[in-house]
Amino acid sequence: MPALRGHNAALVLDLLRAAGEAGASRPELAEAAGLTPQAVSKITARLREAGLVARAGRRPSTGGKPRTLWRLVRDARHAVGLHLDRDEVTAVLVDLQGGVVAAHRASFDLGAPREAVLDAAAGAVRALPDGPGLPDGPGLPDGPGRGGRPLGVGVACPGPLDHRTGVLRRVTGFPHWDGHPLREALSRRLGLPVALDKDTNAAALGLALCGGQGAKGASFAYLHLGTGLGAGLVLGGALYRGTRTGAGEFGHQVVLLDGPECGCGDRGCLEALCLAAVARGDTAEAARVLGTGAAGLAGLLDVDRVVLGGRTVLADPEPYRAGVERVLAARAARTDGRAVPVSVAPGGARLVARGAAHLVLAPLFGRLEPGTRPQGPGRDRSGGPGPGPGKTGSGPADSG
């Protein structure tokens, strides 16, 4: 795919993504983007030439010439999202709006030897229906309405890790991954650019972009309870990773001194207490422990809402939502009286995998900070996606 070398082009694409199938007119885009109508006209022309936008009809006039509406061509490009959980792998192929086109899920063992894990991860991507343009697969056909070879693969897995270098750290329970360059290894196997982040960050990013949580300047905490416990933080409308990319290790706060041993090596961690309650079937206690952690997080960061997800929550969502809500309401009664709302994340079991795909898509819409773009085969020197099949030359740069 041609590189989008302009912030303004990415901004226009993001506005059209948000507008959906209804589209938006050039004057509306110019006003929302703070650009001149002439600049928007040039940008949309180049985006149309690249196959990324198309006319969506005309808006009836209230006195004057009807305005042409433009929309994002959602199937013009695709990305792969890959969720590597401790015991299962989920792969999805998504379009530019984040809609799932194909999916595959299989059992998985993150504790297996590295080469076996890497082979299984790559195999899950290649097993996607329609085989997305990868070696040993038929690929998506080129032509109108199909995006050809994917832009890249976004990978989400348990942390801690360094998303900037693509290197895993001491993943809780799996210390043999410490220092492994997972991003580079998967990129070599797949022949595609790869982005890597924690599962909780990927889910939070997906919720911010397409999950109804991304109002401008919004702040929320996504709490993921599955085989582990972690958080993804969106503060002031942006995904927050911290200076050392370690933010969100929510489950490893010590809340009970000299408590039960945790897989991280500490004692009395929130994760250990919560998973112990889950293991003995005490959902009410697990929700109370989760709510206690959520209340501390809400008090520390003053988030607008708390969003729950992960397979354990999704298996019985209402007791967890209500239990966390009760703890937050009790905290509010002792403080300012304003309880933080609690909801269950939409997207089901594919939420993290879809969010991982957004690690690839978000730079196209100018929604990730520098240094977070996918790396590996097919990248140009600017850090944008390299030319796609049959594409040459520079992409739709903007002029203003």
Side-chain angles (χ1 to χ4, degrees), residues 79-84 89-94 98 100 102-105 128 153-157 198-199 202-203 206 222 224 347-360:
V80 175
L82 184 64
H83 178 198
L84 307 179
V89 58
T90 303
V92 296
L93 183 71
V94 307
V100 175
H104 173 78
R105 186 169 65 175
L128 284 167
V153 181
V155 180
C157 69
K198 290 195 297 187
D199 45 12
Y222 167 73
H224 185 96
R350 297 174 181 171
L351 173 65
V352 174
R354 286 183 65 191
H358 283 293
L359 295 170
V360 175

PDB file of all heavy atoms in Angstrom, residues 79-84 89-94 98 100 102-105 128 153-157 198-199 202-203 206 222 224 347-360:
ATOM      1  N   ALA A  79      -6.138  -5.860   7.875  1.00  0.00           N
ATOM      2  CA  ALA A  79      -5.052  -6.136   8.817  1.00  0.00           C
ATOM      3  C   ALA A  79      -5.409  -7.397   9.590  1.00  0.00           C
ATOM      4  O   ALA A  79      -6.581  -7.756   9.729  1.00  0.00           O
ATOM      5  CB  ALA A  79      -4.842  -4.962   9.772  1.00  0.00           C
ATOM      6  N   VAL A  80      -4.379  -8.046  10.096  1.00  0.00           N
ATOM      7  CA  VAL A  80      -4.564  -9.254  10.902  1.00  0.00           C
ATOM      8  C   VAL A  80      -4.335  -8.905  12.365  1.00  0.00           C
ATOM      9  O   VAL A  80      -3.399  -8.173  12.711  1.00  0.00           O
ATOM     10  CB  VAL A  80      -3.585 -10.366  10.473  1.00  0.00           C
ATOM     11  CG1 VAL A  80      -3.691 -11.577  11.403  1.00  0.00           C
ATOM     12  CG2 VAL A  80      -3.859 -10.789   9.035  1.00  0.00           C
ATOM     13  N   GLY A  81      -5.193  -9.420  13.229  1.00  0.00           N
ATOM     14  CA  GLY A  81      -5.001  -9.313  14.669  1.00  0.00           C
ATOM     15  C   GLY A  81      -4.775 -10.696  15.247  1.00  0.00           C
ATOM     16  O   GLY A  81      -5.494 -11.646  14.896  1.00  0.00           O
ATOM     17  N   LEU A  82      -3.772 -10.824  16.118  1.00  0.00           N
ATOM     18  CA  LEU A  82      -3.408 -12.126  16.681  1.00  0.00           C
ATOM     19  C   LEU A  82      -3.308 -12.004  18.200  1.00  0.00           C
ATOM     20  O   LEU A  82      -2.503 -11.227  18.715  1.00  0.00           O
ATOM     21  CB  LEU A  82      -2.069 -12.576  16.099  1.00  0.00           C
ATOM     22  CG  LEU A  82      -1.548 -13.965  16.475  1.00  0.00           C
ATOM     23  CD1 LEU A  82      -2.485 -15.049  15.937  1.00  0.00           C
ATOM     24  CD2 LEU A  82      -0.142 -14.166  15.926  1.00  0.00           C
ATOM     25  N   HIS A  83      -4.144 -12.747  18.911  1.00  0.00           N
ATOM     26  CA  HIS A  83      -4.134 -12.750  20.375  1.00  0.00           C
ATOM     27  C   HIS A  83      -3.505 -14.040  20.854  1.00  0.00           C
ATOM     28  O   HIS A  83      -4.069 -15.130  20.678  1.00  0.00           O
ATOM     29  CB  HIS A  83      -5.565 -12.618  20.903  1.00  0.00           C
ATOM     30  CG  HIS A  83      -5.654 -12.651  22.397  1.00  0.00           C
ATOM     31  ND1 HIS A  83      -6.835 -12.920  23.081  1.00  0.00           N
ATOM     32  CD2 HIS A  83      -4.717 -12.453  23.365  1.00  0.00           C
ATOM     33  CE1 HIS A  83      -6.614 -12.883  24.377  1.00  0.00           C
ATOM     34  NE2 HIS A  83      -5.333 -12.614  24.576  1.00  0.00           N
ATOM     35  N   LEU A  84      -2.334 -13.930  21.458  1.00  0.00           N
ATOM     36  CA  LEU A  84      -1.646 -15.076  22.032  1.00  0.00           C
ATOM     37  C   LEU A  84      -1.941 -15.110  23.525  1.00  0.00           C
ATOM     38  O   LEU A  84      -1.319 -14.387  24.309  1.00  0.00           O
ATOM     39  CB  LEU A  84      -0.135 -14.983  21.801  1.00  0.00           C
ATOM     40  CG  LEU A  84       0.330 -14.777  20.352  1.00  0.00           C
ATOM     41  CD1 LEU A  84       1.844 -14.692  20.290  1.00  0.00           C
ATOM     42  CD2 LEU A  84      -0.188 -15.899  19.448  1.00  0.00           C
ATOM     43  N   VAL A  89      -5.065 -19.406  21.095  1.00  0.00           N
ATOM     44  CA  VAL A  89      -4.688 -18.363  20.152  1.00  0.00           C
ATOM     45  C   VAL A  89      -5.903 -18.012  19.302  1.00  0.00           C
ATOM     46  O   VAL A  89      -6.657 -18.893  18.890  1.00  0.00           O
ATOM     47  CB  VAL A  89      -3.508 -18.816  19.257  1.00  0.00           C
ATOM     48  CG1 VAL A  89      -3.832 -20.086  18.486  1.00  0.00           C
ATOM     49  CG2 VAL A  89      -3.102 -17.708  18.284  1.00  0.00           C
ATOM     50  N   THR A  90      -6.108 -16.716  19.080  1.00  0.00           N
ATOM     51  CA  THR A  90      -7.202 -16.235  18.238  1.00  0.00           C
ATOM     52  C   THR A  90      -6.624 -15.315  17.171  1.00  0.00           C
ATOM     53  O   THR A  90      -5.858 -14.399  17.477  1.00  0.00           O
ATOM     54  CB  THR A  90      -8.244 -15.454  19.056  1.00  0.00           C
ATOM     55  OG1 THR A  90      -8.736 -16.281  20.103  1.00  0.00           O
ATOM     56  CG2 THR A  90      -9.405 -15.008  18.176  1.00  0.00           C
ATOM     57  N   ALA A  91      -6.983 -15.571  15.921  1.00  0.00           N
ATOM     58  CA  ALA A  91      -6.557 -14.720  14.808  1.00  0.00           C
ATOM     59  C   ALA A  91      -7.790 -14.181  14.098  1.00  0.00           C
ATOM     60  O   ALA A  91      -8.779 -14.908  13.920  1.00  0.00           O
ATOM     61  CB  ALA A  91      -5.687 -15.501  13.822  1.00  0.00           C
ATOM     62  N   VAL A  92      -7.755 -12.914  13.719  1.00  0.00           N
ATOM     63  CA  VAL A  92      -8.856 -12.311  12.966  1.00  0.00           C
ATOM     64  C   VAL A  92      -8.293 -11.498  11.801  1.00  0.00           C
ATOM     65  O   VAL A  92      -7.185 -10.966  11.888  1.00  0.00           O
ATOM     66  CB  VAL A  92      -9.741 -11.393  13.840  1.00  0.00           C
ATOM     67  CG1 VAL A  92     -10.437 -12.187  14.932  1.00  0.00           C
ATOM     68  CG2 VAL A  92      -8.930 -10.252  14.438  1.00  0.00           C
ATOM     69  N   LEU A  93      -9.055 -11.435  10.746  1.00  0.00           N
ATOM     70  CA  LEU A  93      -8.773 -10.545   9.630  1.00  0.00           C
ATOM     71  C   LEU A  93      -9.830  -9.454   9.660  1.00  0.00           C
ATOM     72  O   LEU A  93     -11.032  -9.749   9.674  1.00  0.00           O
ATOM     73  CB  LEU A  93      -8.840 -11.300   8.301  1.00  0.00           C
ATOM     74  CG  LEU A  93      -8.502 -10.509   7.036  1.00  0.00           C
ATOM     75  CD1 LEU A  93      -7.013 -10.194   6.991  1.00  0.00           C
ATOM     76  CD2 LEU A  93      -8.909 -11.292   5.785  1.00  0.00           C
ATOM     77  N   VAL A  94      -9.429  -8.189   9.736  1.00  0.00           N
ATOM     78  CA  VAL A  94     -10.392  -7.100   9.866  1.00  0.00           C
ATOM     79  C   VAL A  94     -10.238  -6.099   8.726  1.00  0.00           C
ATOM     80  O   VAL A  94      -9.167  -5.982   8.122  1.00  0.00           O
ATOM     81  CB  VAL A  94     -10.252  -6.367  11.222  1.00  0.00           C
ATOM     82  CG1 VAL A  94     -10.318  -7.343  12.379  1.00  0.00           C
ATOM     83  CG2 VAL A  94      -8.970  -5.569  11.281  1.00  0.00           C
ATOM     84  N   GLY A  98     -12.555  -1.992  11.259  1.00  0.00           N
ATOM     85  CA  GLY A  98     -12.396  -2.896  12.387  1.00  0.00           C
ATOM     86  C   GLY A  98     -13.369  -4.058  12.373  1.00  0.00           C
ATOM     87  O   GLY A  98     -13.415  -4.833  13.326  1.00  0.00           O
ATOM     88  N   VAL A 100     -14.758  -7.693  11.572  1.00  0.00           N
ATOM     89  CA  VAL A 100     -14.106  -8.992  11.392  1.00  0.00           C
ATOM     90  C   VAL A 100     -14.591  -9.641  10.100  1.00  0.00           C
ATOM     91  O   VAL A 100     -15.782  -9.868   9.902  1.00  0.00           O
ATOM     92  CB  VAL A 100     -14.386  -9.912  12.596  1.00  0.00           C
ATOM     93  CG1 VAL A 100     -13.809 -11.305  12.356  1.00  0.00           C
ATOM     94  CG2 VAL A 100     -13.791  -9.316  13.871  1.00  0.00           C
ATOM     95  N   ALA A 102     -12.805 -12.537   8.853  1.00  0.00           N
ATOM     96  CA  ALA A 102     -12.559 -13.962   9.052  1.00  0.00           C
ATOM     97  C   ALA A 102     -11.918 -14.143  10.418  1.00  0.00           C
ATOM     98  O   ALA A 102     -11.283 -13.221  10.950  1.00  0.00           O
ATOM     99  CB  ALA A 102     -11.644 -14.509   7.952  1.00  0.00           C
ATOM    100  N   ALA A 103     -12.075 -15.342  10.995  1.00  0.00           N
ATOM    101  CA  ALA A 103     -11.525 -15.608  12.330  1.00  0.00           C
ATOM    102  C   ALA A 103     -11.126 -17.063  12.458  1.00  0.00           C
ATOM    103  O   ALA A 103     -11.667 -17.941  11.777  1.00  0.00           O
ATOM    104  CB  ALA A 103     -12.544 -15.239  13.413  1.00  0.00           C
ATOM    105  N   HIS A 104     -10.160 -17.302  13.353  1.00  0.00           N
ATOM    106  CA  HIS A 104      -9.707 -18.667  13.634  1.00  0.00           C
ATOM    107  C   HIS A 104      -9.265 -18.718  15.089  1.00  0.00           C
ATOM    108  O   HIS A 104      -8.591 -17.811  15.572  1.00  0.00           O
ATOM    109  CB  HIS A 104      -8.533 -19.046  12.729  1.00  0.00           C
ATOM    110  CG  HIS A 104      -7.907 -20.365  13.082  1.00  0.00           C
ATOM    111  ND1 HIS A 104      -8.469 -21.576  12.739  1.00  0.00           N
ATOM    112  CD2 HIS A 104      -6.753 -20.657  13.754  1.00  0.00           C
ATOM    113  CE1 HIS A 104      -7.706 -22.557  13.186  1.00  0.00           C
ATOM    114  NE2 HIS A 104      -6.662 -22.035  13.803  1.00  0.00           N
ATOM    115  N   ARG A 105      -9.643 -19.787  15.794  1.00  0.00           N
ATOM    116  CA  ARG A 105      -9.242 -19.955  17.183  1.00  0.00           C
ATOM    117  C   ARG A 105      -8.799 -21.393  17.396  1.00  0.00           C
ATOM    118  O   ARG A 105      -9.381 -22.319  16.833  1.00  0.00           O
ATOM    119  CB  ARG A 105     -10.383 -19.610  18.139  1.00  0.00           C
ATOM    120  CG  ARG A 105      -9.965 -19.622  19.606  1.00  0.00           C
ATOM    121  CD  ARG A 105     -11.024 -19.013  20.502  1.00  0.00           C
ATOM    122  NE  ARG A 105     -12.267 -19.784  20.514  1.00  0.00           N
ATOM    123  CZ  ARG A 105     -13.299 -19.499  21.295  1.00  0.00           C
ATOM    124  NH1 ARG A 105     -13.260 -18.450  22.092  1.00  0.00           N
ATOM    125  NH2 ARG A 105     -14.380 -20.240  21.260  1.00  0.00           N
ATOM    126  N   LEU A 128      -6.484 -18.619   8.742  1.00  0.00           N
ATOM    127  CA  LEU A 128      -7.657 -17.762   8.536  1.00  0.00           C
ATOM    128  C   LEU A 128      -8.330 -18.108   7.216  1.00  0.00           C
ATOM    129  O   LEU A 128      -7.658 -18.269   6.193  1.00  0.00           O
ATOM    130  CB  LEU A 128      -7.241 -16.289   8.523  1.00  0.00           C
ATOM    131  CG  LEU A 128      -6.928 -15.667   9.875  1.00  0.00           C
ATOM    132  CD1 LEU A 128      -6.238 -14.316   9.694  1.00  0.00           C
ATOM    133  CD2 LEU A 128      -8.206 -15.492  10.693  1.00  0.00           C
ATOM    134  N   VAL A 153       0.437  -7.473  10.725  1.00  0.00           N
ATOM    135  CA  VAL A 153      -0.135  -8.300  11.781  1.00  0.00           C
ATOM    136  C   VAL A 153       0.108  -7.614  13.117  1.00  0.00           C
ATOM    137  O   VAL A 153       1.245  -7.307  13.479  1.00  0.00           O
ATOM    138  CB  VAL A 153       0.506  -9.711  11.796  1.00  0.00           C
ATOM    139  CG1 VAL A 153      -0.121 -10.565  12.904  1.00  0.00           C
ATOM    140  CG2 VAL A 153       0.351 -10.391  10.442  1.00  0.00           C
ATOM    141  N   GLY A 154      -0.974  -7.358  13.846  1.00  0.00           N
ATOM    142  CA  GLY A 154      -0.860  -6.845  15.205  1.00  0.00           C
ATOM    143  C   GLY A 154      -0.943  -8.006  16.176  1.00  0.00           C
ATOM    144  O   GLY A 154      -1.850  -8.835  16.078  1.00  0.00           O
ATOM    145  N   VAL A 155       0.015  -8.094  17.085  1.00  0.00           N
ATOM    146  CA  VAL A 155       0.090  -9.218  18.023  1.00  0.00           C
ATOM    147  C   VAL A 155      -0.114  -8.702  19.443  1.00  0.00           C
ATOM    148  O   VAL A 155       0.540  -7.740  19.862  1.00  0.00           O
ATOM    149  CB  VAL A 155       1.452  -9.936  17.923  1.00  0.00           C
ATOM    150  CG1 VAL A 155       1.519 -11.103  18.906  1.00  0.00           C
ATOM    151  CG2 VAL A 155       1.687 -10.420  16.492  1.00  0.00           C
ATOM    152  N   ALA A 156      -1.010  -9.347  20.160  1.00  0.00           N
ATOM    153  CA  ALA A 156      -1.271  -9.005  21.564  1.00  0.00           C
ATOM    154  C   ALA A 156      -1.022 -10.228  22.421  1.00  0.00           C
ATOM    155  O   ALA A 156      -1.486 -11.325  22.099  1.00  0.00           O
ATOM    156  CB  ALA A 156      -2.712  -8.535  21.730  1.00  0.00           C
ATOM    157  N   CYS A 157      -0.277 -10.056  23.511  1.00  0.00           N
ATOM    158  CA  CYS A 157       0.021 -11.178  24.394  1.00  0.00           C
ATOM    159  C   CYS A 157       0.200 -10.662  25.814  1.00  0.00           C
ATOM    160  O   CYS A 157       0.284  -9.454  26.043  1.00  0.00           O
ATOM    161  CB  CYS A 157       1.258 -11.930  23.916  1.00  0.00           C
ATOM    162  SG  CYS A 157       2.803 -11.020  24.085  1.00  0.00           S
ATOM    163  N   LYS A 198       0.825  -5.388  24.725  1.00  0.00           N
ATOM    164  CA  LYS A 198       0.140  -6.209  25.716  1.00  0.00           C
ATOM    165  C   LYS A 198      -1.317  -6.413  25.320  1.00  0.00           C
ATOM    166  O   LYS A 198      -1.936  -5.553  24.676  1.00  0.00           O
ATOM    167  CB  LYS A 198       0.215  -5.555  27.098  1.00  0.00           C
ATOM    168  CG  LYS A 198       1.598  -5.564  27.695  1.00  0.00           C
ATOM    169  CD  LYS A 198       1.584  -5.261  29.179  1.00  0.00           C
ATOM    170  CE  LYS A 198       1.062  -3.888  29.493  1.00  0.00           C
ATOM    171  NZ  LYS A 198       1.206  -3.561  30.925  1.00  0.00           N
ATOM    172  N   ASP A 199      -1.875  -7.543  25.738  1.00  0.00           N
ATOM    173  CA  ASP A 199      -3.266  -7.844  25.412  1.00  0.00           C
ATOM    174  C   ASP A 199      -4.221  -6.775  25.933  1.00  0.00           C
ATOM    175  O   ASP A 199      -5.164  -6.374  25.237  1.00  0.00           O
ATOM    176  CB  ASP A 199      -3.659  -9.228  25.938  1.00  0.00           C
ATOM    177  CG  ASP A 199      -3.206  -9.502  27.368  1.00  0.00           C
ATOM    178  OD1 ASP A 199      -2.772  -8.556  28.071  1.00  0.00           O
ATOM    179  OD2 ASP A 199      -3.279 -10.677  27.797  1.00  0.00           O
ATOM    180  N   ALA A 202      -3.993  -3.612  23.733  1.00  0.00           N
ATOM    181  CA  ALA A 202      -4.651  -3.819  22.443  1.00  0.00           C
ATOM    182  C   ALA A 202      -6.167  -3.708  22.584  1.00  0.00           C
ATOM    183  O   ALA A 202      -6.841  -3.057  21.774  1.00  0.00           O
ATOM    184  CB  ALA A 202      -4.265  -5.183  21.876  1.00  0.00           C
ATOM    185  N   ALA A 203      -6.713  -4.334  23.631  1.00  0.00           N
ATOM    186  CA  ALA A 203      -8.158  -4.258  23.844  1.00  0.00           C
ATOM    187  C   ALA A 203      -8.605  -2.824  24.096  1.00  0.00           C
ATOM    188  O   ALA A 203      -9.616  -2.368  23.546  1.00  0.00           O
ATOM    189  CB  ALA A 203      -8.556  -5.148  25.022  1.00  0.00           C
ATOM    190  N   GLY A 206      -8.621  -0.861  20.852  1.00  0.00           N
ATOM    191  CA  GLY A 206      -9.790  -1.195  20.045  1.00  0.00           C
ATOM    192  C   GLY A 206     -11.063  -0.567  20.576  1.00  0.00           C
ATOM    193  O   GLY A 206     -11.895  -0.072  19.806  1.00  0.00           O
ATOM    194  N   TYR A 222      -9.730  -0.314  31.194  1.00  0.00           N
ATOM    195  CA  TYR A 222     -10.225  -1.621  30.764  1.00  0.00           C
ATOM    196  C   TYR A 222      -9.561  -2.670  31.653  1.00  0.00           C
ATOM    197  O   TYR A 222      -8.326  -2.772  31.699  1.00  0.00           O
ATOM    198  CB  TYR A 222      -9.890  -1.875  29.297  1.00  0.00           C
ATOM    199  CG  TYR A 222     -10.103  -3.328  28.896  1.00  0.00           C
ATOM    200  CD1 TYR A 222     -11.388  -3.838  28.741  1.00  0.00           C
ATOM    201  CD2 TYR A 222      -9.021  -4.183  28.702  1.00  0.00           C
ATOM    202  CE1 TYR A 222     -11.595  -5.167  28.399  1.00  0.00           C
ATOM    203  CE2 TYR A 222      -9.216  -5.512  28.363  1.00  0.00           C
ATOM    204  CZ  TYR A 222     -10.506  -6.004  28.205  1.00  0.00           C
ATOM    205  OH  TYR A 222     -10.704  -7.310  27.880  1.00  0.00           O
ATOM    206  N   HIS A 224      -9.063  -6.599  32.473  1.00  0.00           N
ATOM    207  CA  HIS A 224      -9.150  -7.882  31.760  1.00  0.00           C
ATOM    208  C   HIS A 224      -8.884  -9.020  32.735  1.00  0.00           C
ATOM    209  O   HIS A 224      -7.775  -9.157  33.257  1.00  0.00           O
ATOM    210  CB  HIS A 224      -8.110  -7.900  30.635  1.00  0.00           C
ATOM    211  CG  HIS A 224      -8.183  -9.120  29.764  1.00  0.00           C
ATOM    212  ND1 HIS A 224      -8.878  -9.134  28.569  1.00  0.00           N
ATOM    213  CD2 HIS A 224      -7.635 -10.354  29.902  1.00  0.00           C
ATOM    214  CE1 HIS A 224      -8.750 -10.329  28.013  1.00  0.00           C
ATOM    215  NE2 HIS A 224      -8.005 -11.089  28.805  1.00  0.00           N
ATOM    216  N   GLY A 347     -17.762  -6.899  22.005  1.00  0.00           N
ATOM    217  CA  GLY A 347     -16.752  -7.565  21.181  1.00  0.00           C
ATOM    218  C   GLY A 347     -16.504  -9.007  21.543  1.00  0.00           C
ATOM    219  O   GLY A 347     -15.884  -9.752  20.781  1.00  0.00           O
ATOM    220  N   GLY A 348     -16.954  -9.422  22.732  1.00  0.00           N
ATOM    221  CA  GLY A 348     -16.846 -10.822  23.101  1.00  0.00           C
ATOM    222  C   GLY A 348     -15.424 -11.340  23.137  1.00  0.00           C
ATOM    223  O   GLY A 348     -14.476 -10.621  23.450  1.00  0.00           O
ATOM    224  N   ALA A 349     -15.276 -12.629  22.787  1.00  0.00           N
ATOM    225  CA  ALA A 349     -13.988 -13.308  22.891  1.00  0.00           C
ATOM    226  C   ALA A 349     -12.958 -12.799  21.892  1.00  0.00           C
ATOM    227  O   ALA A 349     -11.768 -13.077  22.041  1.00  0.00           O
ATOM    228  CB  ALA A 349     -14.195 -14.815  22.709  1.00  0.00           C
ATOM    229  N   ARG A 350     -13.390 -12.048  20.886  1.00  0.00           N
ATOM    230  CA  ARG A 350     -12.460 -11.545  19.867  1.00  0.00           C
ATOM    231  C   ARG A 350     -11.954 -10.132  20.158  1.00  0.00           C
ATOM    232  O   ARG A 350     -11.232  -9.557  19.348  1.00  0.00           O
ATOM    233  CB  ARG A 350     -13.133 -11.549  18.496  1.00  0.00           C
ATOM    234  CG  ARG A 350     -13.529 -12.933  17.997  1.00  0.00           C
ATOM    235  CD  ARG A 350     -14.311 -12.811  16.698  1.00  0.00           C
ATOM    236  NE  ARG A 350     -14.729 -14.113  16.191  1.00  0.00           N
ATOM    237  CZ  ARG A 350     -15.564 -14.265  15.168  1.00  0.00           C
ATOM    238  NH1 ARG A 350     -16.087 -13.187  14.572  1.00  0.00           N
ATOM    239  NH2 ARG A 350     -15.900 -15.481  14.757  1.00  0.00           N
ATOM    240  N   LEU A 351     -12.342  -9.576  21.294  1.00  0.00           N
ATOM    241  CA  LEU A 351     -12.016  -8.182  21.580  1.00  0.00           C
ATOM    242  C   LEU A 351     -10.520  -7.908  21.497  1.00  0.00           C
ATOM    243  O   LEU A 351     -10.087  -6.936  20.862  1.00  0.00           O
ATOM    244  CB  LEU A 351     -12.534  -7.806  22.972  1.00  0.00           C
ATOM    245  CG  LEU A 351     -12.121  -6.421  23.485  1.00  0.00           C
ATOM    246  CD1 LEU A 351     -12.739  -5.328  22.620  1.00  0.00           C
ATOM    247  CD2 LEU A 351     -12.526  -6.248  24.944  1.00  0.00           C
ATOM    248  N   VAL A 352      -9.707  -8.745  22.122  1.00  0.00           N
ATOM    249  CA  VAL A 352      -8.263  -8.491  22.138  1.00  0.00           C
ATOM    250  C   VAL A 352      -7.675  -8.664  20.746  1.00  0.00           C
ATOM    251  O   VAL A 352      -6.841  -7.860  20.309  1.00  0.00           O
ATOM    252  CB  VAL A 352      -7.563  -9.423  23.149  1.00  0.00           C
ATOM    253  CG1 VAL A 352      -6.049  -9.261  23.070  1.00  0.00           C
ATOM    254  CG2 VAL A 352      -8.042  -9.120  24.563  1.00  0.00           C
ATOM    255  N   ALA A 353      -8.101  -9.690  20.023  1.00  0.00           N
ATOM    256  CA  ALA A 353      -7.577  -9.902  18.665  1.00  0.00           C
ATOM    257  C   ALA A 353      -7.946  -8.736  17.749  1.00  0.00           C
ATOM    258  O   ALA A 353      -7.114  -8.272  16.950  1.00  0.00           O
ATOM    259  CB  ALA A 353      -8.106 -11.219  18.106  1.00  0.00           C
ATOM    260  N   ARG A 354      -9.176  -8.249  17.855  1.00  0.00           N
ATOM    261  CA  ARG A 354      -9.566  -7.081  17.047  1.00  0.00           C
ATOM    262  C   ARG A 354      -8.742  -5.859  17.431  1.00  0.00           C
ATOM    263  O   ARG A 354      -8.309  -5.095  16.570  1.00  0.00           O
ATOM    264  CB  ARG A 354     -11.052  -6.775  17.247  1.00  0.00           C
ATOM    265  CG  ARG A 354     -11.990  -7.735  16.563  1.00  0.00           C
ATOM    266  CD  ARG A 354     -13.432  -7.313  16.756  1.00  0.00           C
ATOM    267  NE  ARG A 354     -13.714  -6.038  16.114  1.00  0.00           N
ATOM    268  CZ  ARG A 354     -14.824  -5.338  16.294  1.00  0.00           C
ATOM    269  NH1 ARG A 354     -15.746  -5.769  17.138  1.00  0.00           N
ATOM    270  NH2 ARG A 354     -15.004  -4.198  15.673  1.00  0.00           N
ATOM    271  N   GLY A 355      -8.536  -5.692  18.733  1.00  0.00           N
ATOM    272  CA  GLY A 355      -7.700  -4.584  19.169  1.00  0.00           C
ATOM    273  C   GLY A 355      -6.292  -4.696  18.634  1.00  0.00           C
ATOM    274  O   GLY A 355      -5.663  -3.695  18.272  1.00  0.00           O
ATOM    275  N   ALA A 356      -5.759  -5.934  18.570  1.00  0.00           N
ATOM    276  CA  ALA A 356      -4.415  -6.137  18.028  1.00  0.00           C
ATOM    277  C   ALA A 356      -4.344  -5.689  16.575  1.00  0.00           C
ATOM    278  O   ALA A 356      -3.341  -5.104  16.141  1.00  0.00           O
ATOM    279  CB  ALA A 356      -4.025  -7.609  18.161  1.00  0.00           C
ATOM    280  N   ALA A 357      -5.393  -5.945  15.805  1.00  0.00           N
ATOM    281  CA  ALA A 357      -5.409  -5.486  14.413  1.00  0.00           C
ATOM    282  C   ALA A 357      -5.335  -3.968  14.332  1.00  0.00           C
ATOM    283  O   ALA A 357      -4.740  -3.409  13.396  1.00  0.00           O
ATOM    284  CB  ALA A 357      -6.666  -5.993  13.710  1.00  0.00           C
ATOM    285  N   HIS A 358      -5.899  -3.289  15.331  1.00  0.00           N
ATOM    286  CA  HIS A 358      -5.842  -1.824  15.344  1.00  0.00           C
ATOM    287  C   HIS A 358      -4.433  -1.300  15.598  1.00  0.00           C
ATOM    288  O   HIS A 358      -4.141  -0.133  15.301  1.00  0.00           O
ATOM    289  CB  HIS A 358      -6.815  -1.264  16.380  1.00  0.00           C
ATOM    290  CG  HIS A 358      -8.239  -1.282  15.921  1.00  0.00           C
ATOM    291  ND1 HIS A 358      -8.696  -0.503  14.880  1.00  0.00           N
ATOM    292  CD2 HIS A 358      -9.306  -2.013  16.341  1.00  0.00           C
ATOM    293  CE1 HIS A 358      -9.983  -0.732  14.682  1.00  0.00           C
ATOM    294  NE2 HIS A 358     -10.372  -1.650  15.551  1.00  0.00           N
ATOM    295  N   LEU A 359      -3.553  -2.127  16.141  1.00  0.00           N
ATOM    296  CA  LEU A 359      -2.155  -1.712  16.248  1.00  0.00           C
ATOM    297  C   LEU A 359      -1.563  -1.458  14.866  1.00  0.00           C
ATOM    298  O   LEU A 359      -0.645  -0.644  14.700  1.00  0.00           O
ATOM    299  CB  LEU A 359      -1.336  -2.791  16.965  1.00  0.00           C
ATOM    300  CG  LEU A 359      -1.681  -3.069  18.426  1.00  0.00           C
ATOM    301  CD1 LEU A 359      -0.962  -4.325  18.905  1.00  0.00           C
ATOM    302  CD2 LEU A 359      -1.323  -1.874  19.300  1.00  0.00           C
ATOM    303  N   VAL A 360      -2.088  -2.153  13.866  1.00  0.00           N
ATOM    304  CA  VAL A 360      -1.660  -1.963  12.481  1.00  0.00           C
ATOM    305  C   VAL A 360      -2.446  -0.839  11.811  1.00  0.00           C
ATOM    306  O   VAL A 360      -1.885  -0.008  11.088  1.00  0.00           O
ATOM    307  CB  VAL A 360      -1.827  -3.279  11.688  1.00  0.00           C
ATOM    308  CG1 VAL A 360      -1.504  -3.076  10.213  1.00  0.00           C
ATOM    309  CG2 VAL A 360      -0.939  -4.368  12.277  1.00  0.00           C
TER     310      VAL A 360
END
